[in-house]
Amino acid sequence: MNLTDLTITQVHQGLAKKEFSVLELCRVYLERIKNRDKEISAFLTVNEDLALSQAKKIDDLIYVGKKIPVLAGVPCAIKDNILVEEIRCTAASKILENYIASYDATVIKRLKEQGAVFLGKTNMDEFAMGSSTENSAFGPTKNPRDLSRVPGGSSGGSAAAVAGNLCCYALGSDTGGSIRLPASFCGAVGLKPTYGAVSRYGLIAFASSLDQIGPITKTAEDAKIVFDVISGKDKMDSTSVNPKSDPSTSSGSSRAKSRDEIRNPKQIQNLRIGVPREYFVKGIDPEVEKVIKGAIKKYEEMGAKIEEVSLPHTEYALSCYYIIAPSEASANLARYDAIRYGGIPEGPRPFCEKGGAYGAGKNKKLKIKDLFDYYLIAREEGFGAEVRRRIIIGAYTLSAGYYEAYYLKAQKVRTLISDDFEKVFRKVDVLMTPVSPFLPFKIGEKIEDPLSMYLVDVYTVSVNLAGLPALSLPVGKVGELPVGLQIIGKPFEEQKILNIGKHFKEM
Amino acid sequence: MISKKEVEHIAKLARIGLTSGEIEKFQKELSSILDYFEKLEEVDVSEAEPISHPITRATASSTELENVTRKDEVRLNGASVDEAEKLLDLVPDKKNGYVKVRAILK
């Protein structure tokens, strides 16, 4: 038995039956990270000591015969934009290179209460801005299925760690596809929850009206286990809501029912699946289309009713997203001034316009003129090209004279996109689409052309704009490269899409 | 096409330093991105209200969304008491427990 192949459920059973200890399991993972992560580069920080001490605690509980929660002792990895107290948290940015988190994100607190074991923090596109994990200030992550290709982004390190068996499960964050795309590219399961289902407290903000934390796992069943633990209202995030309301209240009853109704595979027979025609147009790789159509056919064979539907504003989603997300980012990233943490490293600056006459505090030979200068230099050196590009786009689309043409217009188009979904969800229960029009591309292929990289997100951004839950499920391969099916649900119907995903392998 | 001057101006507003080579590169890249945004001009939004919270509308009837307020008072939320110290430890330049910043007045 290879311990690193096990799912959460299998690890839990193994621990309960004392087939192996948490410490043993943890050491196997740490050893594998040491060997295999040299090639993949999924981790930015590996916290061996913390992991081993957490492992020992759970082993002690098992030893004295305590019944342990399902996530207890299960080694996981956390995207490096989610704070874990006393662990470095960089968001893959130089500006946060030495930042040590002073508190736990709510999701981390909830995982700790379950006895989770944290192996380390995973690589990502800087501040989650990107679709390939090439925008990390610490170098790209490679796709474990083919090391010459990208793992997708921005949660590329988390997806590669799960797919490469470097952890049992991971957390990612999804602003425009950042969980679903890497899950699809690496052949893992990824869940982007409904906006508000999971607390964002302790998540380094990118675009606050779009960001959600979610699990990346080996199976849909595992994704459900993690989601159930991390979801729910949190007083530290006023946008979080509690869908687990009392089923006896009028508003709660329909949701509670819909959560349960897909448990039985026979229920797939009554399922109405919508296939939006706008997601199968020019630009999609025909091989990807074939795999996706084949997967939808399988659900049809199980008795689901397939219906072609239309989301007419789909073609505007990408523009809409790439105005709204950078606008929010330009405001959120204004806080990084290298004054409260970070600082500007000393030394001459060969690329500096003014002849390298700048440097920080202690070096008396190098002087920064004033605070304004300090900001410019700190943010030029601290942020990578894509982050600076997006901050500038955001500042532009929010600036006087352009606000109405860009930002306000995009907010209105967002309403129309959201309305499209609301209308089709009166006719169908879920939607099925590809996660990406492309297979995982080569490292370096798109990084020089920002717009071509943005187009990778064409099938994922609408879901964030409308705040819906969506699952990325591996349903086939083209050669060795995995293809993910996107299952989009109604708000707060995570359980339904997870159960539908679970039945795929049971077919 | 966005002008070089505009790029410099917006970068300054956003407190982002750019080298002269980058100004030209960003000018090209931003122009192609802004051109792409022009697609939105086709959309009739005369009937649409702008939204910022995606779930407010879609499920207004089924979620208990309400304004969240709280008293303006210190709460620790289980965070360790020495959190302020931890935060100060991260400050690169400080004096007597204060964060040092450069002078803003000449």
Side-chain angles (χ1 to χ4, degrees):
Chain A
M1 178 176 54
N2 198 340
L3 292 182
T4 58
D5 286 337
L6 301 181
T7 65
I8 293 172
T9 316
Q10 288 165 338
V11 166
H12 181 63
Q13 285 163 356
L15 290 174
K17 288 184 198 152
K18 298 189 179 159
E19 285 167 9
F20 47 85
S21 71
V22 182
L23 214 53
E24 205 179 320
L25 177 67
C26 217
R27 289 210 172 104
V28 171
Y29 269 117
L30 289 168
E31 187 61 27
R32 192 171 160 80
I33 291 169
K34 238 173 239 159
N35 297 324
R36 180 87 170 124
D37 204 38
K38 272 184 238 145
E39 297 166 344
I40 299 175
S41 306
F43 284 88
L44 290 178
T45 305
V46 178
N47 26 267
E48 193 168 330
D49 294 345
L50 176 73
L52 292 174
S53 75
Q54 286 171 326
K56 200 172 170 314
K57 270 187 211 154
I58 305 302
D59 275 338
D60 289 347
L61 290 178
I62 297 171
Y63 183 75
V64 298
K66 281 253 168 63
K67 202 170 178 292
I68 54 163
V70 62
L71 286 180
V74 186
C76 66
I78 306 294
K79 187 177 184 180
D80 208 23
N81 60 350
I82 300 171
L83 307 193
V84 180
E85 191 175 350
E86 298 198 347
I87 302 289
R88 188 173 79 125
C89 192
T90 68
S93 179
K94 266 189 98 89
I95 211 157
L96 288 171
E97 197 171 5
N98 301 310
Y99 175 69
I100 310 289
S102 61
Y103 65 96
D104 279 329
T106 297
V107 292
I108 298 301
K109 219 168 129 193
R110 290 188 176 163
L111 289 177
K112 279 185 176 173
E113 283 161 8
Q114 296 284 308
V117 170
F118 300 104
L119 293 170
K121 306 294 296 291
T122 54
N123 200 12
M124 54 188 281
D125 286 295
E126 184 178 358
F127 284 100
M129 296 177 190
S131 313
S132 67
T133 314
E134 290 166 288
N135 289 331
S136 166
F138 309 109
T141 295
K142 301 188 182 111
N143 191 320
R145 311 285 178 196
D146 177 345
L147 295 174
S148 70
R149 292 175 192 271
V150 302
S154 66
S155 312
S158 285
V162 172
N165 285 348
L166 303 175
C167 63
C168 188
Y169 70 96
L171 291 187
S173 68
D174 191 315
T175 305
S178 283
I179 287 174
R180 290 160 287 155
L181 183 73
S184 171
F185 275 14
C186 294
V189 173
L191 174 71
K192 182 261 168 207
T194 311
Y195 184 76
V198 177
S199 168
R200 292 179 292 112
Y201 181 66
L203 170 69
I204 293 178
F206 161 15
S208 305
S209 80
L210 303 161
D211 297 341
Q212 270 290 289
I213 296 172
I216 296 175
T217 55
K218 294 183 197 208
T219 64
E221 194 187 1
D222 280 2
K224 177 187 157 47
I225 293 170
V226 180
F227 175 72
D228 285 348
V229 168
I230 62 173
S231 60
K233 188 167 175 60
D234 172 24
K235 67 174 178 182
M236 301 304 282
D237 174 4
S238 59
T239 61
S240 68
V241 291
N242 203 353
K244 293 169 190 162
S245 57
D246 182 3
S248 64
T249 65
S250 58
S251 65
S253 64
S254 63
R255 274 202 316 282
K257 186 169 153 270
S258 67
R259 281 212 301 274
D260 293 328
E261 68 188 6
I262 309 292
R263 293 255 162 86
N264 180 350
K266 281 181 187 154
Q267 300 283 349
I268 296 272
Q269 284 175 11
N270 299 320
L271 189 70
R272 296 165 304 169
I273 298 172
V275 180
R277 69 173 72 98
E278 291 82 3
Y279 285 66
F280 296 88
V281 292
K282 203 176 102 278
I284 185 172
D285 182 330
E287 305 242 55
V288 170
E289 184 171 358
K290 216 172 108 191
V291 172
I292 296 300
K293 290 253 166 95
I296 296 171
K297 186 98 187 126
K298 281 193 181 170
Y299 281 105
E300 191 174 19
E301 283 161 9
M302 275 186 85
K305 286 180 201 69
I306 311 295
E307 194 179 324
E308 192 186 81
V309 295
S310 174
L311 299 164
H313 294 93
T314 299
E315 60 173 316
Y316 306 111
L318 207 62
S319 297
C320 184
Y321 173 83
Y322 274 101
I323 291 170
I324 291 172
S327 295
E328 293 185 17
S330 76
N332 273 329
L333 272 65
R335 74 189 64 162
Y336 301 106
D337 54 11
I339 286 172
R340 285 153 304 168
Y341 32 79
I344 302 182
E346 296 164 37
R349 295 176 155 68
F351 52 84
C352 187
E353 289 286 279
K354 292 164 193 171
Y358 300 94
K362 289 173 201 156
N363 191 337
K364 289 200 176 83
K365 276 185 224 153
L366 304 167
K367 269 210 154 170
I368 291 172
K369 211 168 61 197
D370 53 21
L371 190 63
F372 185 77
D373 251 10
Y374 186 89
Y375 288 151
L376 289 186
I377 292 162
R379 288 159 67 83
E380 173 179 350
E381 294 185 353
F383 290 138
E386 179 61 20
V387 172
R388 282 184 292 150
R389 199 177 290 124
R390 292 207 199 181
I391 291 173
I392 293 172
I393 292 172
Y396 183 80
T397 53
L398 287 177
S399 64
Y402 296 104
Y403 170 84
E404 285 182 5
Y406 290 108
Y407 187 70
L408 192 62
K409 177 92 187 226
Q411 292 282 64
K412 288 179 177 174
V413 175
R414 184 176 186 177
T415 302
L416 299 175
I417 289 164
S418 181
D419 286 348
D420 282 355
F421 281 104
E422 215 188 326
K423 276 178 207 146
V424 301
F425 277 133
R426 286 180 208 150
K427 291 193 289 183
V428 298
D429 301 307
V430 296
L431 295 167
M432 289 192 182
T433 80
V435 172
S436 167
F438 315 116
L439 291 166
F441 44 90
K442 294 266 184 191
I443 291 171
E445 193 180 319
K446 293 182 193 287
I447 196 72
E448 293 304 326
D449 180 2
L451 195 56
S452 79
M453 188 70 88
Y454 296 174
L455 293 172
V456 176
D457 303 334
V458 66
Y459 295 153
T460 49
V461 293
S462 295
V463 163
N464 300 76
L465 291 168
L468 302 170
L471 187 72
S472 173
L473 187 75
V475 292
K477 280 181 184 175
V478 175
E480 278 309 297
L481 302 174
V483 175
L485 172 73
Q486 176 167 240
I487 308 176
I488 307 169
K490 296 177 192 175
F492 301 106
E493 294 200 344
E494 282 84 359
Q495 302 298 338
K496 181 183 275 184
I497 57 175
L498 286 164
N499 278 313
I500 293 169
K502 204 179 123 201
H503 289 312
F504 188 81
K505 65 167 188 184
E506 289 166 8
M507 279 177 200
Chain B
M1 181 106 176
I2 185 169
S3 70
K4 244 176 153 177
K5 237 183 137 175
E6 266 181 303
V7 173
E8 279 186 277
H9 175 64
I10 298 288
K12 263 193 184 156
L13 287 181
R15 302 291 187 267
I16 297 281
L18 294 173
T19 63
S20 57
E22 276 181 329
I23 291 170
E24 246 167 72
K25 188 166 170 272
F26 273 49
Q27 184 195 6
K28 276 193 208 119
E29 289 168 350
L30 297 181
S31 292
S32 73
I33 293 164
L34 292 171
D35 285 350
Y36 184 79
F37 292 165
E38 274 172 20
K39 196 161 180 51
L40 291 189
E41 284 173 18
E42 299 166 16
V43 194
D44 176 13
V45 291
S46 53
E47 304 282 305
E49 290 289 318
I51 51 167
S52 51
H53 192 304
I55 294 302
T56 334
R57 301 178 61 263
T59 51
S61 55
S62 61
T63 29
E64 311 78 38
L65 270 192
E66 52 189 42
N67 286 328
V68 178
T69 57
R70 65 173 175 88
K71 286 203 173 107
D72 183 19
E73 57 193 14
V74 176
R75 41 175 201 182
L76 288 169
N77 292 304
S80 35
V81 191
D82 56 353
E83 196 172 353
E85 236 165 84
K86 280 190 199 166
L87 289 172
L88 273 172
D89 280 347
L90 294 169
V91 177
D93 205 0
K94 63 193 162 196
K95 198 174 181 183
N96 303 332
Y98 289 94
V99 179
K100 254 175 97 174
V101 282
R102 261 148 240 280
I104 51 166
L105 301 171
K106 300 227 160 114

